[in-house]
Amino acid sequence: MAQRSLLYSSTTRWVLAGVLVVATGWASLSHVYRAAHRRIDAVTIVLGDDPEVLRTRLVELNGGLAIKLDPAERARLYQRLTSKPLDGTAFALAALDATAKGDKEGAAKLVEHALALEPRTRLAWLWRLDQQMRNGQTVDAATSTLRLLAVDPEQYPSYVPILAGLARDRRNIPQIAAVIQRNPGWRETFLSTLQARGYDPSIRFAIMDVGTSEVYLIDRERAAFVADLVAKADYERAYLAWISYLPESALASVDTPYDAQFKGMPGPPPFNWQLTAADGDRADTNNGLDLSYSGRKPVTLATQVVVLQPGGYRLRSTVTNAHSEGPSSGGTVLTWQISCLPGNQPIGNLALDTSVTGKPQMSVPFDVPETCQAVSLSLTGAASEFPVRLNARIAAVQFERATASASAPESAANPTSAISSPQPSVTP
């Protein structure tokens, strides 16, 4: 079965002898049980009051999770069933005993009866979860795990990893997302588990997005998600995730690069401008990029990651004001550098002549190769032999296809974006 393959492979299977593990490492059901059941009457009567006893007595058989009772223990259990016919835990323990004897059908009926008597019977839910996982019933298994979370909320660190694996079945995402939304304290454990185990980032994106309100989906989660994709050089999906977090008011103004006129549009780096403000150098956006550069050492004043389709491009930028705080021979001290990602290999540049203001300046054509998943666009300042502070203002910067006329007036330009629509048609 297709869903069964989510849990089983030729090299992984359930191991139930106190530890229940599948694929990348599931939580131990026996550990979950003993941590939450320091004293349950029916189990104590039959097995004693040592919580470690349950761990050593749990075994994995073909029929499922089981406990083998000796004749004396079984007699005590039957006595308990007779004297306390409403004890759901006693019937659940009888189900594990029936499993050990090979009576899986009888065990299932006992579990069903235990849950009918007491819907919060933990041992019965554990047995049912084990059966569902074995049979590849991932939707039912998610429901059972969520029920165990409701019964044992303090044990969420043990149950959440199970849920993380079950999230690989996309049918489970709405119900898991809803529970995570209602319990924001579980979010960090859940999302970090998805990341640590290398699950498809789209699962994490969906869990963060489906049924989630702003009060729970805080900015640091979004930034961390995008940063993780960028760190893995998955730039396109990182950009699609990033742009999906923008307010609707910003989507109509998405350009290449983003905030090409430096208006201070919303959204964090790396797909928005990261500006320098240290060591006497600064860059600010205010309907233009205002710069103050000391010229004492090389510095990156502004940088942004841009997703571009492969092909030929030119870069256009306009300096509207520039003056030096002292004698200057003029010329170029600011350069737009375009580098291929990953690897940061330079592929083009536009050296700005700060003595030319008010007119668009164009780079020579450069090529974005197929191997280039994104580009880094950075405005750098070159150190001078005799430093003089330069104050300047840049009106805009834009990528254009190399076929565009270099002499075309600024108002006629129509930059070509790598993304056909500002609203992504697919999720990461």
Side-chain angles (χ1 to χ4, degrees):
M1 295 184 295
Q3 296 302 325
R4 187 185 181 104
S5 65
L6 291 172
L7 303 174
Y8 286 83
S9 72
S10 60
T11 58
T12 59
R13 65 184 182 89
W14 284 99
V15 178
L16 286 166
V19 178
L20 188 56
V21 181
V22 69
T24 54
W26 295 92
S28 164
L29 290 191
S30 61
H31 170 75
V32 171
Y33 180 85
R34 70 176 184 276
H37 297 72
R38 294 305 179 189
R39 190 170 186 84
I40 291 186
D41 198 19
V43 174
T44 300
I45 289 173
V46 175
L47 300 178
D49 58 6
D50 183 355
E52 290 300 306
V53 169
L54 182 62
R55 181 182 68 82
T56 59
R57 299 292 293 275
L58 278 172
V59 295
E60 181 198 13
L61 301 176
N62 290 334
L65 191 63
I67 294 179
K68 296 180 179 179
L69 301 180
D70 61 35
E73 291 170 337
R74 189 171 293 114
R76 286 196 294 273
L77 177 59
Y78 289 166
Q79 183 179 5
R80 178 68 179 180
L81 292 172
T82 301
S83 62
K84 300 286 185 178
L86 301 181
D87 187 344
T89 301
F91 281 95
L93 188 57
L96 268 70
D97 179 49
T99 304
K101 294 187 292 184
D103 185 5
K104 185 175 178 179
E105 182 177 348
K109 292 179 179 179
L110 286 166
V111 164
E112 184 176 354
H113 184 66
L115 292 174
L117 291 173
E118 176 49 67
R120 299 176 62 86
T121 304
R122 299 169 179 86
L123 188 56
W125 281 111
L126 290 170
W127 187 93
R128 177 171 284 184
L129 173 60
D130 172 48
Q131 293 294 317
Q132 292 162 343
M133 297 292 276
R134 288 168 177 271
N135 296 329
Q137 298 169 294
T138 53
V139 174
D140 293 335
T143 300
S144 295
T145 307
L146 292 172
R147 183 58 183 168
L148 282 164
L149 273 168
V151 171
D152 271 339
E154 70 277 9
Q155 295 301 317
Y156 78 89
S158 296
Y159 294 120
V160 161
I162 298 176
L163 269 186
L166 290 168
R168 289 178 292 176
D169 184 339
R170 300 307 179 93
R171 295 174 298 175
N172 288 327
I173 287 177
Q175 62 172 329
I176 293 175
V179 170
I180 296 298
Q181 178 188 5
R182 293 195 300 269
N183 299 273
W186 300 348
R187 290 181 61 83
E188 186 171 353
T189 300
F190 187 86
L191 296 176
S192 62
T193 299
L194 290 175
Q195 178 188 354
R197 298 190 175 182
Y199 294 154
D200 189 331
S202 63
I203 299 173
R204 187 173 165 199
F205 177 85
I207 290 293
M208 291 169 62
D209 185 64
V210 174
T212 308
S213 66
E214 289 292 330
V215 70
Y216 300 123
L217 189 56
I218 55 181
D219 288 341
R220 65 181 178 85
E221 286 183 357
R222 295 172 171 177
F225 178 67
V226 171
D228 290 341
L229 291 174
V230 169
K232 296 172 182 174
D234 196 350
Y235 294 101
E236 184 171 351
R237 290 209 290 183
Y239 175 74
L240 291 174
W242 179 87
I243 204 172
S244 74
Y245 298 144
L246 292 178
E248 290 188 11
S249 59
L251 293 177
S253 302
V254 172
D255 208 336
T256 311
Y258 180 70
D259 196 9
Q261 296 179 339
F262 307 105
K263 295 179 179 180
M265 299 287 288
F271 300 107
N272 198 354
W273 296 111
Q274 181 172 337
L275 305 174
T276 293
D279 299 329
D281 301 314
R282 66 169 180 81
D284 299 301
T285 56
N286 182 21
N287 289 318
L289 184 64
D290 289 323
L291 307 171
S292 181
Y293 172 48
S294 67
R296 295 184 178 276
K297 61 181 180 180
V299 66
T300 298
L301 295 162
T303 186
Q304 181 182 141
V305 172
V306 184
V307 178
L308 291 176
Q309 295 175 347
Y313 291 87
R314 300 181 75 174
L315 191 69
R316 182 186 63 171
S317 188
T318 305
V319 178
T320 58
N321 184 38
H323 68 276
S324 300
E325 297 180 1
S328 175
S329 59
T332 297
V333 293
L334 300 175
T335 301
W336 284 110
Q337 182 74 51
I338 305 103
S339 300
C340 180
L341 298 174
N344 214 34
Q345 178 68 32
I347 56 176
N349 66 76
L350 169 58
L352 294 174
D353 188 343
T354 55
S355 66
V356 177
T357 60
K359 296 181 179 180
Q361 300 182 45
M362 303 288 292
S363 73
V364 299
F366 63 91
D367 186 61
V368 176
E370 292 280 352
T371 56
C372 195
Q373 299 181 34
V375 301
S376 172
L377 174 63
S378 301
L379 180 65
T380 62
S384 302
E385 182 179 4
F386 302 104
V388 175
R389 179 170 294 279
L390 172 69
N391 297 310
R393 181 177 179 85
I394 298 177
V397 60
Q398 290 180 306
F399 287 100
E400 297 179 351
R401 286 291 189 179
T403 54
S405 173
S407 60
E410 186 170 1
S411 60
N414 184 22
T416 303
S417 172
I419 306 297
S420 58
S421 169
Q423 300 189 50
S425 60
V426 296
T427 55

